[in-house]
Amino acid sequence: ADWCSRYSGIVVRIRPFLGSVRDFRTWDRLEIAQAPNAVPISAREAVTAAIRSFADFTQSVEDPILTVSGEAGVGKTRCVLEALRTVPGIKEILIFSDAIHHVTDVLHRLINESTARALIVVDGMDTSMRSRLGRVLAAEAHRIRVIAIDNERSEESVPEAEVRLAPLDRQDVERVLADNFPTISNERRWAIADLANGFLRVAIDICLNVHRLPDSGDAAVFSTLLRDHYLAARLTHEQRIVVELVSLISRVGYKGDQKNELQDLCNSCP
């Protein structure tokens, strides 16, 4: 297993279906590229402990899938990565992917190999897919487990096989920024932490693009940055169209006049 982890290119040539996923080292390198320094967050110690316990194959689990939920941008993927980093032997068994259709193919192949052992981290798996895979993996939890990162669930209460991350406190966001962007002035980091409102990804993205902002702090320039750089890089063309359409609505809702307003907008689109 250690040899396979160190020579993943050769493994992919032998098992081409693994070319669609990443090993721990590749995932780690890509995930920490923008903010390399991890900062311990006391508010997330319980979630970190739950993830590590789930990844420990010497312990039994009732459910083969652990869901890590929370709003997009609160730092779920990085939290999972840092929690798993110190788990013994994790680099040899972990597989990461953000493409669910590739993951299902890999999972079925692993199930058919009775000696295979793997922890699969999936960034983006909805409830219906988790339910289907949970039934398939029910008898294989001793050797194959899945950590599903979910951006869609909005309920505050969580079932037993789920942990939920809330946006960070402003002080925690500022500590992460201070450790990773020391050349940005304290005043600017504090302002960015306030603006991010607990969403770490937004704060980091602003710091990475802070050189585009004028010293005057002109809000119009920031709006241009958001539109031309941030949204263009983060969203697909179709997603950006949806965001621009929704921005035309003064209040988004699904009841009363708000429901009709959104429906009229949908009907006006080709």
PDB file of all heavy atoms in Angstrom, residues 19-23 27 30-31 77 94-104 106 120-126 147-149 151 201 234:
ATOM      1  N   GLY A  19      -7.544   6.946 -12.261  1.00  0.00           N
ATOM      2  CA  GLY A  19      -7.062   8.219 -12.778  1.00  0.00           C
ATOM      3  C   GLY A  19      -8.033   9.361 -12.555  1.00  0.00           C
ATOM      4  O   GLY A  19      -7.664  10.533 -12.665  1.00  0.00           O
ATOM      5  N   SER A  20      -9.272   9.058 -12.253  1.00  0.00           N
ATOM      6  CA  SER A  20     -10.285  10.099 -12.056  1.00  0.00           C
ATOM      7  C   SER A  20     -10.360  10.588 -10.618  1.00  0.00           C
ATOM      8  O   SER A  20     -11.143  11.484 -10.308  1.00  0.00           O
ATOM      9  CB  SER A  20     -11.661   9.558 -12.479  1.00  0.00           C
ATOM     10  OG  SER A  20     -12.006   8.420 -11.704  1.00  0.00           O
ATOM     11  N   VAL A  21      -9.556   9.993  -9.719  1.00  0.00           N
ATOM     12  CA  VAL A  21      -9.567  10.397  -8.313  1.00  0.00           C
ATOM     13  C   VAL A  21      -8.144  10.787  -7.888  1.00  0.00           C
ATOM     14  O   VAL A  21      -7.187  10.611  -8.640  1.00  0.00           O
ATOM     15  CB  VAL A  21     -10.101   9.258  -7.423  1.00  0.00           C
ATOM     16  CG1 VAL A  21     -11.540   8.946  -7.764  1.00  0.00           C
ATOM     17  CG2 VAL A  21      -9.243   7.999  -7.556  1.00  0.00           C
ATOM     18  N   ARG A  22      -8.020  11.327  -6.664  1.00  0.00           N
ATOM     19  CA  ARG A  22      -6.728  11.785  -6.173  1.00  0.00           C
ATOM     20  C   ARG A  22      -6.320  11.014  -4.926  1.00  0.00           C
ATOM     21  O   ARG A  22      -7.183  10.652  -4.124  1.00  0.00           O
ATOM     22  CB  ARG A  22      -6.787  13.278  -5.839  1.00  0.00           C
ATOM     23  CG  ARG A  22      -7.148  14.152  -7.019  1.00  0.00           C
ATOM     24  CD  ARG A  22      -7.489  15.553  -6.567  1.00  0.00           C
ATOM     25  NE  ARG A  22      -8.039  16.343  -7.659  1.00  0.00           N
ATOM     26  CZ  ARG A  22      -8.745  17.449  -7.486  1.00  0.00           C
ATOM     27  NH1 ARG A  22      -8.991  17.896  -6.263  1.00  0.00           N
ATOM     28  NH2 ARG A  22      -9.211  18.107  -8.537  1.00  0.00           N
ATOM     29  N   ASP A  23      -5.030  10.807  -4.769  1.00  0.00           N
ATOM     30  CA  ASP A  23      -4.541  10.209  -3.538  1.00  0.00           C
ATOM     31  C   ASP A  23      -4.373  11.311  -2.487  1.00  0.00           C
ATOM     32  O   ASP A  23      -4.592  12.499  -2.767  1.00  0.00           O
ATOM     33  CB  ASP A  23      -3.236   9.450  -3.764  1.00  0.00           C
ATOM     34  CG  ASP A  23      -2.104  10.346  -4.266  1.00  0.00           C
ATOM     35  OD1 ASP A  23      -2.275  11.585  -4.283  1.00  0.00           O
ATOM     36  OD2 ASP A  23      -1.055   9.811  -4.654  1.00  0.00           O
ATOM     37  N   TRP A  27      -4.297  15.483  -3.140  1.00  0.00           N
ATOM     38  CA  TRP A  27      -5.373  16.275  -2.533  1.00  0.00           C
ATOM     39  C   TRP A  27      -4.788  17.306  -1.577  1.00  0.00           C
ATOM     40  O   TRP A  27      -5.163  18.487  -1.598  1.00  0.00           O
ATOM     41  CB  TRP A  27      -6.341  15.335  -1.803  1.00  0.00           C
ATOM     42  CG  TRP A  27      -7.431  16.029  -1.036  1.00  0.00           C
ATOM     43  CD1 TRP A  27      -8.082  17.171  -1.398  1.00  0.00           C
ATOM     44  CD2 TRP A  27      -7.984  15.616   0.214  1.00  0.00           C
ATOM     45  NE1 TRP A  27      -9.029  17.497  -0.437  1.00  0.00           N
ATOM     46  CE2 TRP A  27      -8.984  16.568   0.548  1.00  0.00           C
ATOM     47  CE3 TRP A  27      -7.748  14.540   1.071  1.00  0.00           C
ATOM     48  CZ2 TRP A  27      -9.735  16.463   1.721  1.00  0.00           C
ATOM     49  CZ3 TRP A  27      -8.501  14.427   2.237  1.00  0.00           C
ATOM     50  CH2 TRP A  27      -9.483  15.379   2.551  1.00  0.00           C
ATOM     51  N   LEU A  30      -3.025  20.272  -3.440  1.00  0.00           N
ATOM     52  CA  LEU A  30      -3.954  21.191  -4.093  1.00  0.00           C
ATOM     53  C   LEU A  30      -4.795  21.978  -3.092  1.00  0.00           C
ATOM     54  O   LEU A  30      -5.071  23.164  -3.285  1.00  0.00           O
ATOM     55  CB  LEU A  30      -4.866  20.407  -5.043  1.00  0.00           C
ATOM     56  CG  LEU A  30      -4.180  19.718  -6.222  1.00  0.00           C
ATOM     57  CD1 LEU A  30      -5.179  18.888  -7.004  1.00  0.00           C
ATOM     58  CD2 LEU A  30      -3.484  20.735  -7.117  1.00  0.00           C
ATOM     59  N   GLU A  31      -5.183  21.327  -2.003  1.00  0.00           N
ATOM     60  CA  GLU A  31      -6.079  21.961  -1.034  1.00  0.00           C
ATOM     61  C   GLU A  31      -5.382  23.067  -0.251  1.00  0.00           C
ATOM     62  O   GLU A  31      -6.000  24.092   0.069  1.00  0.00           O
ATOM     63  CB  GLU A  31      -6.637  20.905  -0.075  1.00  0.00           C
ATOM     64  CG  GLU A  31      -7.636  21.428   0.934  1.00  0.00           C
ATOM     65  CD  GLU A  31      -8.901  21.983   0.310  1.00  0.00           C
ATOM     66  OE1 GLU A  31      -9.268  21.545  -0.797  1.00  0.00           O
ATOM     67  OE2 GLU A  31      -9.525  22.858   0.925  1.00  0.00           O
ATOM     68  N   THR A  77     -13.987  21.162   3.611  1.00  0.00           N
ATOM     69  CA  THR A  77     -12.988  20.297   2.978  1.00  0.00           C
ATOM     70  C   THR A  77     -11.650  20.390   3.695  1.00  0.00           C
ATOM     71  O   THR A  77     -10.998  19.370   3.967  1.00  0.00           O
ATOM     72  CB  THR A  77     -12.816  20.674   1.496  1.00  0.00           C
ATOM     73  OG1 THR A  77     -14.091  20.618   0.845  1.00  0.00           O
ATOM     74  CG2 THR A  77     -11.868  19.712   0.803  1.00  0.00           C
ATOM     75  N   LEU A  94      -6.478   6.438   1.441  1.00  0.00           N
ATOM     76  CA  LEU A  94      -7.440   7.492   1.141  1.00  0.00           C
ATOM     77  C   LEU A  94      -7.546   7.782  -0.349  1.00  0.00           C
ATOM     78  O   LEU A  94      -6.552   7.812  -1.076  1.00  0.00           O
ATOM     79  CB  LEU A  94      -7.068   8.784   1.882  1.00  0.00           C
ATOM     80  CG  LEU A  94      -8.093   9.919   1.724  1.00  0.00           C
ATOM     81  CD1 LEU A  94      -8.328  10.640   3.048  1.00  0.00           C
ATOM     82  CD2 LEU A  94      -7.655  10.927   0.656  1.00  0.00           C
ATOM     83  N   ILE A  95      -8.775   8.003  -0.784  1.00  0.00           N
ATOM     84  CA  ILE A  95      -9.075   8.424  -2.146  1.00  0.00           C
ATOM     85  C   ILE A  95      -9.979   9.650  -2.044  1.00  0.00           C
ATOM     86  O   ILE A  95     -10.943   9.654  -1.284  1.00  0.00           O
ATOM     87  CB  ILE A  95      -9.796   7.320  -2.945  1.00  0.00           C
ATOM     88  CG1 ILE A  95      -8.890   6.099  -3.122  1.00  0.00           C
ATOM     89  CG2 ILE A  95     -10.258   7.835  -4.307  1.00  0.00           C
ATOM     90  CD1 ILE A  95      -9.603   4.903  -3.718  1.00  0.00           C
ATOM     91  N   PHE A  96      -9.669  10.701  -2.812  1.00  0.00           N
ATOM     92  CA  PHE A  96     -10.489  11.916  -2.804  1.00  0.00           C
ATOM     93  C   PHE A  96     -11.002  12.209  -4.210  1.00  0.00           C
ATOM     94  O   PHE A  96     -10.296  12.017  -5.195  1.00  0.00           O
ATOM     95  CB  PHE A  96      -9.670  13.122  -2.324  1.00  0.00           C
ATOM     96  CG  PHE A  96     -10.416  14.425  -2.460  1.00  0.00           C
ATOM     97  CD1 PHE A  96     -11.291  14.850  -1.476  1.00  0.00           C
ATOM     98  CD2 PHE A  96     -10.259  15.214  -3.594  1.00  0.00           C
ATOM     99  CE1 PHE A  96     -11.994  16.042  -1.609  1.00  0.00           C
ATOM    100  CE2 PHE A  96     -10.955  16.408  -3.736  1.00  0.00           C
ATOM    101  CZ  PHE A  96     -11.823  16.817  -2.738  1.00  0.00           C
ATOM    102  N   SER A  97     -12.248  12.705  -4.275  1.00  0.00           N
ATOM    103  CA  SER A  97     -12.793  13.129  -5.559  1.00  0.00           C
ATOM    104  C   SER A  97     -13.923  14.126  -5.343  1.00  0.00           C
ATOM    105  O   SER A  97     -14.610  14.102  -4.324  1.00  0.00           O
ATOM    106  CB  SER A  97     -13.320  11.928  -6.355  1.00  0.00           C
ATOM    107  OG  SER A  97     -13.831  12.359  -7.613  1.00  0.00           O
ATOM    108  N   ASP A  98     -14.098  15.017  -6.314  1.00  0.00           N
ATOM    109  CA  ASP A  98     -15.252  15.907  -6.311  1.00  0.00           C
ATOM    110  C   ASP A  98     -16.182  15.593  -7.481  1.00  0.00           C
ATOM    111  O   ASP A  98     -17.038  16.402  -7.848  1.00  0.00           O
ATOM    112  CB  ASP A  98     -14.815  17.372  -6.364  1.00  0.00           C
ATOM    113  CG  ASP A  98     -13.870  17.668  -7.525  1.00  0.00           C
ATOM    114  OD1 ASP A  98     -13.678  16.776  -8.380  1.00  0.00           O
ATOM    115  OD2 ASP A  98     -13.314  18.777  -7.575  1.00  0.00           O
ATOM    116  N   ALA A  99     -16.020  14.406  -8.068  1.00  0.00           N
ATOM    117  CA  ALA A  99     -16.864  13.957  -9.173  1.00  0.00           C
ATOM    118  C   ALA A  99     -17.567  12.670  -8.749  1.00  0.00           C
ATOM    119  O   ALA A  99     -16.969  11.596  -8.758  1.00  0.00           O
ATOM    120  CB  ALA A  99     -16.031  13.718 -10.431  1.00  0.00           C
ATOM    121  N   ILE A 100     -18.834  12.764  -8.369  1.00  0.00           N
ATOM    122  CA  ILE A 100     -19.540  11.634  -7.786  1.00  0.00           C
ATOM    123  C   ILE A 100     -19.664  10.459  -8.745  1.00  0.00           C
ATOM    124  O   ILE A 100     -19.617   9.297  -8.334  1.00  0.00           O
ATOM    125  CB  ILE A 100     -20.934  12.068  -7.273  1.00  0.00           C
ATOM    126  CG1 ILE A 100     -21.618  10.918  -6.535  1.00  0.00           C
ATOM    127  CG2 ILE A 100     -21.790  12.595  -8.399  1.00  0.00           C
ATOM    128  CD1 ILE A 100     -20.874  10.402  -5.352  1.00  0.00           C
ATOM    129  N   HIS A 101     -19.816  10.721 -10.052  1.00  0.00           N
ATOM    130  CA  HIS A 101     -19.969   9.603 -10.993  1.00  0.00           C
ATOM    131  C   HIS A 101     -18.692   8.778 -11.098  1.00  0.00           C
ATOM    132  O   HIS A 101     -18.728   7.571 -11.327  1.00  0.00           O
ATOM    133  CB  HIS A 101     -20.406  10.109 -12.372  1.00  0.00           C
ATOM    134  CG  HIS A 101     -19.477  11.105 -12.990  1.00  0.00           C
ATOM    135  ND1 HIS A 101     -19.394  12.403 -12.548  1.00  0.00           N
ATOM    136  CD2 HIS A 101     -18.588  10.993 -14.007  1.00  0.00           C
ATOM    137  CE1 HIS A 101     -18.507  13.055 -13.270  1.00  0.00           C
ATOM    138  NE2 HIS A 101     -17.998  12.230 -14.150  1.00  0.00           N
ATOM    139  N   HIS A 102     -17.532   9.430 -10.907  1.00  0.00           N
ATOM    140  CA  HIS A 102     -16.275   8.680 -10.885  1.00  0.00           C
ATOM    141  C   HIS A 102     -16.166   7.853  -9.609  1.00  0.00           C
ATOM    142  O   HIS A 102     -15.683   6.725  -9.626  1.00  0.00           O
ATOM    143  CB  HIS A 102     -15.089   9.642 -10.972  1.00  0.00           C
ATOM    144  CG  HIS A 102     -14.945  10.300 -12.313  1.00  0.00           C
ATOM    145  ND1 HIS A 102     -14.341  11.526 -12.477  1.00  0.00           N
ATOM    146  CD2 HIS A 102     -15.333   9.896 -13.545  1.00  0.00           C
ATOM    147  CE1 HIS A 102     -14.366  11.846 -13.760  1.00  0.00           C
ATOM    148  NE2 HIS A 102     -14.957  10.873 -14.422  1.00  0.00           N
ATOM    149  N   VAL A 103     -16.632   8.432  -8.515  1.00  0.00           N
ATOM    150  CA  VAL A 103     -16.534   7.750  -7.223  1.00  0.00           C
ATOM    151  C   VAL A 103     -17.368   6.478  -7.197  1.00  0.00           C
ATOM    152  O   VAL A 103     -16.934   5.454  -6.667  1.00  0.00           O
ATOM    153  CB  VAL A 103     -16.975   8.694  -6.079  1.00  0.00           C
ATOM    154  CG1 VAL A 103     -17.102   7.936  -4.769  1.00  0.00           C
ATOM    155  CG2 VAL A 103     -15.976   9.828  -5.929  1.00  0.00           C
ATOM    156  N   THR A 104     -18.564   6.528  -7.741  1.00  0.00           N
ATOM    157  CA  THR A 104     -19.420   5.340  -7.718  1.00  0.00           C
ATOM    158  C   THR A 104     -18.774   4.190  -8.492  1.00  0.00           C
ATOM    159  O   THR A 104     -18.862   3.033  -8.063  1.00  0.00           O
ATOM    160  CB  THR A 104     -20.806   5.651  -8.305  1.00  0.00           C
ATOM    161  OG1 THR A 104     -20.664   6.248  -9.603  1.00  0.00           O
ATOM    162  CG2 THR A 104     -21.567   6.614  -7.416  1.00  0.00           C
ATOM    163  N   VAL A 106     -15.495   3.720  -8.864  1.00  0.00           N
ATOM    164  CA  VAL A 106     -14.395   3.235  -8.023  1.00  0.00           C
ATOM    165  C   VAL A 106     -14.929   2.396  -6.872  1.00  0.00           C
ATOM    166  O   VAL A 106     -14.389   1.328  -6.537  1.00  0.00           O
ATOM    167  CB  VAL A 106     -13.575   4.422  -7.487  1.00  0.00           C
ATOM    168  CG1 VAL A 106     -12.563   3.947  -6.446  1.00  0.00           C
ATOM    169  CG2 VAL A 106     -12.855   5.145  -8.626  1.00  0.00           C
ATOM    170  N   ILE A 120     -12.867   6.869   1.356  1.00  0.00           N
ATOM    171  CA  ILE A 120     -13.120   7.732   0.206  1.00  0.00           C
ATOM    172  C   ILE A 120     -13.765   9.022   0.686  1.00  0.00           C
ATOM    173  O   ILE A 120     -14.797   9.005   1.363  1.00  0.00           O
ATOM    174  CB  ILE A 120     -14.023   7.030  -0.826  1.00  0.00           C
ATOM    175  CG1 ILE A 120     -13.372   5.715  -1.254  1.00  0.00           C
ATOM    176  CG2 ILE A 120     -14.279   7.932  -2.024  1.00  0.00           C
ATOM    177  CD1 ILE A 120     -14.186   4.915  -2.240  1.00  0.00           C
ATOM    178  N   VAL A 121     -13.149  10.145   0.338  1.00  0.00           N
ATOM    179  CA  VAL A 121     -13.691  11.466   0.663  1.00  0.00           C
ATOM    180  C   VAL A 121     -14.300  12.044  -0.608  1.00  0.00           C
ATOM    181  O   VAL A 121     -13.607  12.182  -1.621  1.00  0.00           O
ATOM    182  CB  VAL A 121     -12.605  12.406   1.215  1.00  0.00           C
ATOM    183  CG1 VAL A 121     -13.196  13.783   1.514  1.00  0.00           C
ATOM    184  CG2 VAL A 121     -11.964  11.811   2.459  1.00  0.00           C
ATOM    185  N   VAL A 122     -15.574  12.366  -0.551  1.00  0.00           N
ATOM    186  CA  VAL A 122     -16.291  12.886  -1.717  1.00  0.00           C
ATOM    187  C   VAL A 122     -16.764  14.300  -1.421  1.00  0.00           C
ATOM    188  O   VAL A 122     -17.542  14.519  -0.496  1.00  0.00           O
ATOM    189  CB  VAL A 122     -17.497  12.002  -2.073  1.00  0.00           C
ATOM    190  CG1 VAL A 122     -18.115  12.472  -3.388  1.00  0.00           C
ATOM    191  CG2 VAL A 122     -17.096  10.539  -2.164  1.00  0.00           C
ATOM    192  N   ASP A 123     -16.293  15.250  -2.195  1.00  0.00           N
ATOM    193  CA  ASP A 123     -16.697  16.645  -2.018  1.00  0.00           C
ATOM    194  C   ASP A 123     -17.896  16.912  -2.924  1.00  0.00           C
ATOM    195  O   ASP A 123     -17.752  17.223  -4.099  1.00  0.00           O
ATOM    196  CB  ASP A 123     -15.542  17.583  -2.374  1.00  0.00           C
ATOM    197  CG  ASP A 123     -15.745  18.970  -1.797  1.00  0.00           C
ATOM    198  OD1 ASP A 123     -16.890  19.286  -1.422  1.00  0.00           O
ATOM    199  OD2 ASP A 123     -14.772  19.735  -1.720  1.00  0.00           O
ATOM    200  N   GLY A 124     -19.097  16.753  -2.336  1.00  0.00           N
ATOM    201  CA  GLY A 124     -20.327  16.971  -3.091  1.00  0.00           C
ATOM    202  C   GLY A 124     -21.090  15.672  -3.301  1.00  0.00           C
ATOM    203  O   GLY A 124     -20.918  15.006  -4.319  1.00  0.00           O
ATOM    204  N   MET A 125     -21.915  15.294  -2.332  1.00  0.00           N
ATOM    205  CA  MET A 125     -22.727  14.082  -2.459  1.00  0.00           C
ATOM    206  C   MET A 125     -24.080  14.363  -1.823  1.00  0.00           C
ATOM    207  O   MET A 125     -24.169  14.669  -0.637  1.00  0.00           O
ATOM    208  CB  MET A 125     -22.063  12.887  -1.771  1.00  0.00           C
ATOM    209  CG  MET A 125     -22.868  11.593  -1.903  1.00  0.00           C
ATOM    210  SD  MET A 125     -22.184  10.199  -0.952  1.00  0.00           S
ATOM    211  CE  MET A 125     -20.691   9.859  -1.870  1.00  0.00           C
ATOM    212  N   ASP A 126     -25.144  14.272  -2.635  1.00  0.00           N
ATOM    213  CA  ASP A 126     -26.467  14.613  -2.119  1.00  0.00           C
ATOM    214  C   ASP A 126     -27.061  13.468  -1.306  1.00  0.00           C
ATOM    215  O   ASP A 126     -26.521  12.363  -1.235  1.00  0.00           O
ATOM    216  CB  ASP A 126     -27.409  15.030  -3.252  1.00  0.00           C
ATOM    217  CG  ASP A 126     -27.587  13.939  -4.304  1.00  0.00           C
ATOM    218  OD1 ASP A 126     -27.474  12.748  -3.960  1.00  0.00           O
ATOM    219  OD2 ASP A 126     -27.856  14.280  -5.467  1.00  0.00           O
ATOM    220  N   ILE A 147     -16.530   9.501   3.513  1.00  0.00           N
ATOM    221  CA  ILE A 147     -16.832  10.795   4.133  1.00  0.00           C
ATOM    222  C   ILE A 147     -17.420  11.678   3.046  1.00  0.00           C
ATOM    223  O   ILE A 147     -16.748  11.986   2.055  1.00  0.00           O
ATOM    224  CB  ILE A 147     -15.578  11.444   4.745  1.00  0.00           C
ATOM    225  CG1 ILE A 147     -15.050  10.587   5.897  1.00  0.00           C
ATOM    226  CG2 ILE A 147     -15.886  12.855   5.232  1.00  0.00           C
ATOM    227  CD1 ILE A 147     -13.774  11.129   6.533  1.00  0.00           C
ATOM    228  N   ALA A 148     -18.678  12.052   3.214  1.00  0.00           N
ATOM    229  CA  ALA A 148     -19.386  12.841   2.210  1.00  0.00           C
ATOM    230  C   ALA A 148     -19.482  14.291   2.669  1.00  0.00           C
ATOM    231  O   ALA A 148     -20.054  14.581   3.717  1.00  0.00           O
ATOM    232  CB  ALA A 148     -20.787  12.262   1.983  1.00  0.00           C
ATOM    233  N   ILE A 149     -18.916  15.201   1.882  1.00  0.00           N
ATOM    234  CA  ILE A 149     -18.981  16.624   2.182  1.00  0.00           C
ATOM    235  C   ILE A 149     -20.183  17.206   1.431  1.00  0.00           C
ATOM    236  O   ILE A 149     -20.271  17.097   0.211  1.00  0.00           O
ATOM    237  CB  ILE A 149     -17.683  17.332   1.763  1.00  0.00           C
ATOM    238  CG1 ILE A 149     -16.499  16.706   2.509  1.00  0.00           C
ATOM    239  CG2 ILE A 149     -17.768  18.829   2.021  1.00  0.00           C
ATOM    240  CD1 ILE A 149     -15.139  17.207   2.046  1.00  0.00           C
ATOM    241  N   ASN A 151     -22.797  20.443   0.740  1.00  0.00           N
ATOM    242  CA  ASN A 151     -23.074  21.876   0.814  1.00  0.00           C
ATOM    243  C   ASN A 151     -24.558  22.200   0.838  1.00  0.00           C
ATOM    244  O   ASN A 151     -24.936  23.356   1.037  1.00  0.00           O
ATOM    245  CB  ASN A 151     -22.471  22.606  -0.391  1.00  0.00           C
ATOM    246  CG  ASN A 151     -20.965  22.511  -0.429  1.00  0.00           C
ATOM    247  OD1 ASN A 151     -20.312  22.554   0.601  1.00  0.00           O
ATOM    248  ND2 ASN A 151     -20.411  22.383  -1.623  1.00  0.00           N
ATOM    249  N   ARG A 201     -13.560  30.686   3.040  1.00  0.00           N
ATOM    250  CA  ARG A 201     -13.153  30.699   1.635  1.00  0.00           C
ATOM    251  C   ARG A 201     -13.218  32.106   1.058  1.00  0.00           C
ATOM    252  O   ARG A 201     -12.333  32.537   0.304  1.00  0.00           O
ATOM    253  CB  ARG A 201     -14.035  29.762   0.799  1.00  0.00           C
ATOM    254  CG  ARG A 201     -13.597  29.724  -0.670  1.00  0.00           C
ATOM    255  CD  ARG A 201     -14.654  29.099  -1.559  1.00  0.00           C
ATOM    256  NE  ARG A 201     -14.899  27.718  -1.229  1.00  0.00           N
ATOM    257  CZ  ARG A 201     -15.912  27.004  -1.733  1.00  0.00           C
ATOM    258  NH1 ARG A 201     -16.775  27.582  -2.558  1.00  0.00           N
ATOM    259  NH2 ARG A 201     -16.072  25.751  -1.392  1.00  0.00           N
ATOM    260  N   ARG A 234     -15.099  31.168  -9.835  1.00  0.00           N
ATOM    261  CA  ARG A 234     -15.780  30.213  -8.969  1.00  0.00           C
ATOM    262  C   ARG A 234     -16.977  29.528  -9.626  1.00  0.00           C
ATOM    263  O   ARG A 234     -17.326  28.405  -9.268  1.00  0.00           O
ATOM    264  CB  ARG A 234     -16.270  30.910  -7.699  1.00  0.00           C
ATOM    265  CG  ARG A 234     -15.170  31.224  -6.693  1.00  0.00           C
ATOM    266  CD  ARG A 234     -14.619  29.960  -6.094  1.00  0.00           C
ATOM    267  NE  ARG A 234     -13.623  30.222  -5.064  1.00  0.00           N
ATOM    268  CZ  ARG A 234     -12.914  29.284  -4.490  1.00  0.00           C
ATOM    269  NH1 ARG A 234     -13.073  28.036  -4.847  1.00  0.00           N
ATOM    270  NH2 ARG A 234     -12.032  29.587  -3.547  1.00  0.00           N
TER     271      ARG A 234
END
